[in-house]
Amino acid sequence: MTQTVDFLSHLNPSQRQAVEHFCGPMLVVAGAGSGKTRALTYRIANLLRTHRVHPENILAVTFTNKAAREIKERVEVIFSEQQAQLQYEKPFSALTSPEQTKLRSQVYRSVTKHLWMGTFHSLCARILRYDINKYTDEKGRQWQQNFSIFDESDAQSLVKQIVTKELNLDDKKFEPRKVRYQISNAKNLGLSPQAYQRENPEYYGRVIAEVYGKYQDRLAANNALDFDDLIRVPVELFQQNEQVLAYWHQKFNHILVDEYQDTNRTQYDLIRLLVTNGEHPRSFKNWKNRSIFVVGDVDQSIYSFRMADYTILLEFQQDFGDGLADDDTRTMIKLEDNYRSRENILEVANQLILNNTTRIEKVLRPTRGEGPPVYCYQADDEAAEASFIVTQIKNLTQQHPELGYGSFALLYRVNAQSRALEDAFIKSNILYKVVGGLKFYDRKEIKDAISYLRMIANPSDSVSLMRIINTPRRGIGKTTIDNLVNASQQLGVPLWEIVNDQDSVNTIAGRSAKAVNQFAQMISSWQEKAASSTALEILEGVMEESDYILDLSNQSTDEAESRLENIKELSNAVAQFQEDYEDSTLGGFLANASLASDLDNLQEGEQAVSLMTLHSAKGLEFPIVFLVGLEQGLFPNFRSLDDPLSLEEERRLCYVGITRAKEQLFLSHARERRLWGYREPCIPSMFLKELPSDLIQGYLPISQPAKTPTPTPKKAKKTQSKSNKKPSKVESFAVGDRVLHRSFGVGQVTHIFGNKGKISIAVKFTTSSPKILDPQVVPLEKLE
């Protein structure tokens, strides 16, 4: 007789309280490394096991697809352990490999396959595959269920064509990339082209609205959506169709949202509609067998440039919760025990974030012991900074054989900082990878292959058709393509209808007609086979029949060989998708590929040092982290210095970087740095002055330089040395003063940083970009 095991027994009290919450609203304030993934996993398992909620009635929104896969796998493990006891009366680990595989497969088919779990974009795309044909926008545009998802490069190409060719606008005044950014922001705010123009009635706003409207026309003509539409369209569909909303509201009884602080207003509207069926949150009371469970941390909100709004989390208690104070509320729980980082790292993070004013009060509590002090290094320049990092990595890997290169991460504020670091690694033969560089699905040969597949799945996708009609070269020239496009535009039909009509092609294409007709016959043949063929069969078949593989093979170059390897890897990705999701359809794979992120594919244990921006590091952790370039104007970014809200986000970004480290943290800054073509003196970041000096070895702006560190430095003495520099005449500078620099010319003081012991000033020059300068080092003349 098997005993019933309390499968929640190893959760801490706060985690358990969150997991056991059943109905109603709940906000979980989860600090970095506090086990929020565990809480989400066990909450889902508890809903399924204890409350017998059907998996299809659970909607779980994660920040990345990788996180969704991880939670699903953990849920499978929990249920496999249970089934092992029930079926075999043994622990899962005691089963044979075939028995384990059989059990995991059973759990997948009965439980995790039916969970609705993924990112906002992937889940909304899935909803739209059912119901987008019921949606009509304010201009009567419509889409079909086999819509394509245009990536950012597709979207920018469309906008550029509209700006420069259709409207003949000055692309310096209306830079296509900036126009595309404005359109994206409008969509994330839920604004249609008409609504955008109403809010921006000036000339520039009217032009943006016109481009936006034409852009939507082109998307509809291609039966395509961009990433922003994937969330905006379901919201508008729910608002205009009560029956559709009621169906999805009834389906999703329990909704979970991870990283709630990074939601934008459109995403919030989506969740609100699904939870309340359109009622105002404060008046919604029907919580029987229903819940909204959100997990987040204002201290880790770093995506305002994507329109993320952390006030949505701050307003949860007023919108859904009981609105009571932290000590009295029953609708908020704090997870503050940290299981990731050493005590010294956490104390540094805690002290830093206390300088922010807009947050929910919490303190990360260590569970793993003190660890070595944080070390701060002052380098002469970016090359010396990189050399220091290389030395530390070599020393640490020699002294600790268990550390591989994959144990290290270098985090920086802007991508341009990676150049000096990469140079140093190449010279030292240290393997590294740049995370957030060119994504696998952004490579030319992969986009070509995906365009073939998209064209087969969605014949209205003229953007994909234009990409592949003469790729590889098949004798279809630009003039022929232009004539075909003009005909489709004149008739108001998709380009494919012209290309797939032999009589039209024979009339328009001239000597290229034969090649166009052969191409159209090949695509048409695969469209007919699509319903009865797997995605893998279609990919491999069309790559062969189109001569794409043959063309690369005939080139006989290293680059072509690399492209062939990538096509093979794409086949592996299709096969893996079919295995993971038991979905062999072309549409299923294309939806998954369109929403893939390079962070989703970051392999743990890969033996290469990771280089990435701080924004890319969100959600990751590494044994040893180097946080580089802590200089005023670089980090925090110069644009944030006159905006208190932006400066708090920069501080949160620094906090996120610090809390990625598990065992050891290194900070570095340079006296001068060449960046974007200029070498300039640097001032240490104001964030360094906010750190507890008694926990840091090395050079802090408020302390004397320390001795060169050993790879695992001993704990710093808990004393703070004072600067022996005397205050200088820089105290006489004030905001608004006009100054003269011998190289930069006349400028005006906009900010003053520091105190009497160490002051730096920000100066906006008339002939140069703004600078942050140390008046004790850089000669400045105060003008009357």
Side-chain angles (χ1 to χ4, degrees):
M1 183 85 178
T2 58
Q3 286 186 317
T4 302
V5 178
D6 178 8
F7 78 109
L8 304 180
S9 60
H10 58 289
L11 300 176
N12 70 36
S14 296
Q15 290 172 337
R16 182 157 191 154
Q17 185 183 355
V19 165
E20 292 185 326
H21 172 77
F22 181 34
C23 293
M26 178 58 70
L27 166 63
V28 179
V29 179
S34 63
K36 70 180 180 68
T37 302
R38 170 178 283 197
L40 285 164
T41 299
Y42 278 89
R43 171 162 175 77
I44 292 170
N46 196 54
L47 288 173
L48 296 168
R49 282 184 59 167
T50 305
H51 301 289
R52 304 300 178 187
V53 175
H54 193 279
E56 285 190 347
N57 298 134
I58 296 174
L59 177 73
V61 185
T62 58
F63 192 67
T64 64
N65 289 311
K66 179 182 178 183
R69 287 197 301 268
E70 181 181 348
I71 293 174
K72 275 190 175 182
E73 288 169 0
R74 291 190 186 189
V75 170
E76 280 183 14
V77 168
I78 292 170
F79 277 85
S80 295
E81 288 286 357
Q82 179 190 33
Q83 290 302 112
Q85 292 291 344
L86 290 174
Q87 293 185 27
Y88 299 96
E89 297 189 349
K90 295 179 182 179
F92 182 77
S93 58
L95 302 182
T96 65
S97 181
E99 288 172 336
Q100 290 182 348
T101 301
K102 180 181 177 181
L103 214 52
R104 286 289 292 268
S105 181
Q106 289 175 1
V107 171
Y108 172 78
R109 288 195 299 271
S110 62
V111 180
T112 53
K113 178 182 179 180
H114 304 286
L115 289 169
W116 280 67
M117 187 180 299
T119 63
F120 273 109
H121 293 91
S122 64
L123 292 168
C124 286
R126 192 173 169 189
I127 289 172
L128 291 175
R129 294 292 177 193
Y130 288 92
D131 283 334
I132 196 172
N133 58 326
K134 301 181 181 74
Y135 168 73
T136 303
D137 76 1
E138 75 288 345
K139 282 293 187 179
R141 305 179 188 97
Q142 292 182 304
W143 284 259
Q144 299 305 311
Q145 290 160 312
N146 63 335
F147 61 86
S148 294
I149 301 172
F150 279 7
D151 63 19
E152 191 55 33
S153 65
D154 295 327
Q156 288 196 17
S157 295
L158 270 184
V159 170
K160 183 177 181 180
Q161 190 170 18
I162 293 166
V163 168
T164 59
K165 294 185 178 179
E166 290 190 33
L167 298 179
N168 294 314
L169 297 170
D170 181 352
D171 61 2
K172 292 182 179 177
K173 186 172 183 179
F174 295 95
E175 202 277 311
R177 186 179 295 272
K178 292 181 180 178
V179 173
R180 163 64 187 141
Y181 182 73
Q182 292 293 329
I183 293 172
S184 178
N185 283 353
K187 289 186 176 186
N188 283 321
L189 292 171
L191 299 176
S192 66
Q194 290 73 29
Y196 182 86
Q197 183 169 332
R198 285 194 296 271
E199 293 201 4
N200 301 274
E202 76 288 350
Y203 171 70
Y204 186 83
R206 294 198 305 273
V207 173
I208 297 294
E210 184 179 10
V211 176
Y212 182 5
K214 288 185 176 295
Y215 173 71
Q216 290 304 106
D217 290 338
R218 295 289 296 277
L219 286 176
N222 282 274
N223 190 30
L225 301 175
D226 63 20
F227 284 176
D228 303 312
D229 286 328
L230 289 175
I231 301 168
R232 183 183 65 90
V233 170
V235 169
E236 292 186 4
L237 172 61
F238 292 159
Q239 290 170 335
Q240 67 184 225
N241 192 316
E242 292 181 359
Q243 289 181 321
V244 172
L245 174 58
Y247 170 82
W248 293 104
H249 168 73
Q250 298 257 339
K251 181 178 181 63
F252 298 132
N253 301 129
H254 297 277
I255 297 177
L256 302 87
V257 186
D258 192 12
E259 305 288 5
Y260 194 64
Q261 78 281 350
D262 290 324
T263 53
N264 61 39
R265 284 291 160 181
T266 308
Q267 292 165 343
Y268 166 77
D269 286 340
L270 179 83
I271 295 300
R272 174 181 56 81
L273 288 164
L274 287 172
V275 170
T276 69
N277 198 25
E279 283 188 48
H280 192 283
R282 293 178 193 173
S283 62
F284 182 75
K285 304 298 180 187
N286 185 21
W287 291 109
K288 183 179 180 182
N289 296 323
R290 179 173 293 280
S291 68
I292 172 64
F293 183 93
V294 303
V295 181
D297 179 11
V298 170
D299 292 341
Q300 298 184 74
S301 178
I302 60 173
Y303 292 111
S304 65
F305 66 93
R306 296 180 186 169
M307 305 305 291
D309 185 353
Y310 65 83
T311 63
I312 292 171
L313 185 148
L314 294 175
E315 293 165 358
F316 181 89
Q317 285 286 67
Q318 281 66 48
D319 279 354
F320 295 102
D322 55 25
L324 299 177
D326 291 7
D327 292 338
D328 303 320
T329 181
R330 292 178 176 271
T331 56
M332 181 174 72
I333 296 169
K334 296 179 184 179
L335 305 184
E336 298 176 287
D337 290 335
N338 177 282
Y339 298 94
R340 176 190 297 157
S341 304
R342 293 290 184 177
E343 181 179 350
N344 284 332
I345 296 170
L346 291 184
E347 185 58 27
V348 167
N350 285 331
Q351 289 294 320
L352 174 72
I353 205 63
L354 280 175
N355 291 278
N356 272 10
T357 57
T358 310
R359 57 192 299 265
I360 295 175
E361 185 180 346
K362 70 173 193 325
V363 176
L364 294 179
R365 294 188 293 263
T367 62
R368 298 191 55 236
E370 186 176 74
V374 174
Y375 187 83
C376 184
Y377 179 71
Q378 182 185 56
D380 288 335
D381 56 21
E382 72 278 5
E385 180 182 56
S387 177
F388 167 78
I389 293 167
V390 165
T391 299
Q392 295 306 310
I393 291 174
K394 286 185 173 180
N395 288 343
L396 284 164
T397 51
Q398 287 173 2
Q399 295 202 3
H400 304 277
E402 72 278 8
L403 293 176
Y405 287 148
S407 301
F408 299 88
L410 276 63
L411 311 182
Y412 37 77
R413 181 63 182 83
V414 295
N415 279 308
Q417 290 174 257
S418 74
R419 193 267 313 161
L421 301 168
E422 292 187 67
D423 287 349
F425 286 143
I426 291 169
K427 290 176 184 176
S428 302
N429 294 317
I430 292 178
L431 293 176
Y432 71 92
K433 59 187 175 187
V434 179
V435 179
L438 186 63
K439 298 181 197 176
F440 177 74
Y441 286 101
D442 284 344
R443 292 179 169 90
K444 178 189 181 301
E445 61 278 10
I446 303 303
K447 287 184 70 68
D448 290 343
I450 293 292
S451 292
Y452 271 99
L453 300 183
R454 287 200 330 200
M455 188 60 222
I456 292 167
N458 174 20
S460 297
D461 188 346
S462 299
V463 170
S464 292
L465 176 54
M466 290 279 287
R467 185 180 184 97
I468 63 173
I469 192 170
N470 197 41
T471 304
R473 295 185 184 278
R474 48 176 62 93
I476 303 173
K478 183 179 183 301
T479 301
T480 297
I481 295 173
D482 288 344
N483 290 338
L484 292 167
V485 170
N486 289 336
S488 73
Q489 291 175 346
Q490 292 292 324
L491 295 175
V493 298
L495 179 59
W496 173 246
E497 287 194 21
I498 302 297
V499 171
N500 196 38
D501 182 75
Q502 191 167 338
D503 292 332
S504 298
V505 170
N506 290 339
T507 302
I508 297 170
R511 288 179 297 177
S512 300
K514 181 179 179 181
V516 174
N517 287 327
Q518 287 176 341
F519 167 79
Q521 184 179 359
M522 176 191 66
I523 296 296
S524 182
S525 171
W526 279 105
Q527 287 172 345
E528 292 173 4
K529 297 175 187 175
S532 58
S533 303
T534 68
L536 185 58
E537 290 169 344
I538 296 169
L539 171 64
E540 293 181 340
V542 78
M543 286 291 94
E544 289 291 341
E545 192 172 337
S546 66
D547 289 336
Y548 197 94
I549 298 296
L550 178 64
D551 180 67
L552 287 175
S553 299
N554 288 340
Q555 291 178 30
S556 300
T557 64
D558 290 342
E559 182 182 358
E561 185 62 33
S562 176
R563 293 188 188 280
L564 279 171
E565 290 297 324
N566 285 333
I567 294 293
K568 291 177 184 175
E569 186 56 35
L570 181 61
S571 294
N572 293 337
V574 177
Q576 186 68 48
F577 170 79
Q578 294 178 174
E579 183 180 315
D580 288 347
Y581 295 93
E582 293 190 359
D583 181 356
S584 62
T585 64
L586 181 58
F589 171 72
L590 284 174
N592 182 72
S594 297
L595 300 168
S597 160
D598 54 337
L599 296 181
D600 293 334
N601 299 316
L602 187 62
Q603 298 297 316
E604 294 182 8
E606 188 176 348
Q607 290 309 305
V609 178
S610 294
L611 277 65
M612 67 187 80
T613 65
L614 283 145
H615 285 99
S616 296
K618 180 70 182 298
L620 304 177
E621 59 182 36
F622 300 89
I624 299 167
V625 168
F626 293 86
L627 184 49
V628 306
L630 279 155
E631 295 135 28
Q632 203 72 355
L634 180 58
F635 192 27
N637 185 278
F638 188 89
R639 290 187 296 275
S640 70
L641 297 179
D642 57 356
D643 181 353
L645 291 178
S646 296
L647 188 59
E648 290 213 349
E649 178 156 335
E650 290 287 297
R651 188 176 286 109
R652 293 195 294 268
L653 190 58
C654 188
Y655 174 83
V656 166
I658 290 170
T659 55
R660 299 312 94 196
K662 296 166 68 175
E663 303 294 336
Q664 194 162 3
L665 173 67
F666 291 88
L667 310 172
S668 63
H669 59 100
R671 290 190 178 92
E672 64 176 29
R673 184 180 298 274
R674 183 187 296 278
L675 203 60
W676 299 297
Y678 299 96
R679 180 169 294 284
E680 296 182 355
C682 302
I683 302 298
S685 170
M686 60 189 294
F687 297 153
L688 291 173
K689 299 178 183 180
E690 298 172 353
L691 305 181
S693 60
D694 57 323
L695 298 179
I696 296 178
Q697 286 190 347
Y699 179 90
L700 277 178
I702 57 174
S703 62
Q704 294 290 340
K707 296 179 180 179
T708 302
T710 58
T712 51
K714 298 178 181 178
K715 182 165 177 62
K717 294 180 180 179
K718 295 199 173 184
T719 57
Q720 179 177 339
S721 59
K722 297 180 180 179
S723 173
N724 57 11
K725 290 186 178 180
K726 297 179 180 179
S728 71
K729 64 179 181 180
V730 298
E731 296 172 36
S732 63
F733 285 107
V735 172
D737 284 349
R738 294 175 68 246
V739 297
L740 176 66
H741 185 279
R742 62 188 179 190
S743 299
F744 304 138
V746 176
Q748 187 172 37
V749 177
T750 60
H751 298 79
I752 296 179
F753 307 103
N755 50 39
K756 292 183 179 181
K758 180 69 174 178
I759 289 179
S760 57
I761 63 175
V763 182
K764 187 174 183 179
F765 291 99
T766 56
T767 59
S768 175
S769 60
K771 311 288 181 186
I772 297 177
L773 305 171
D774 182 351
Q776 294 179 339
V777 177
V778 180
L780 289 171
E781 180 183 346
K782 186 175 177 181
L783 301 177
E784 296 298 331

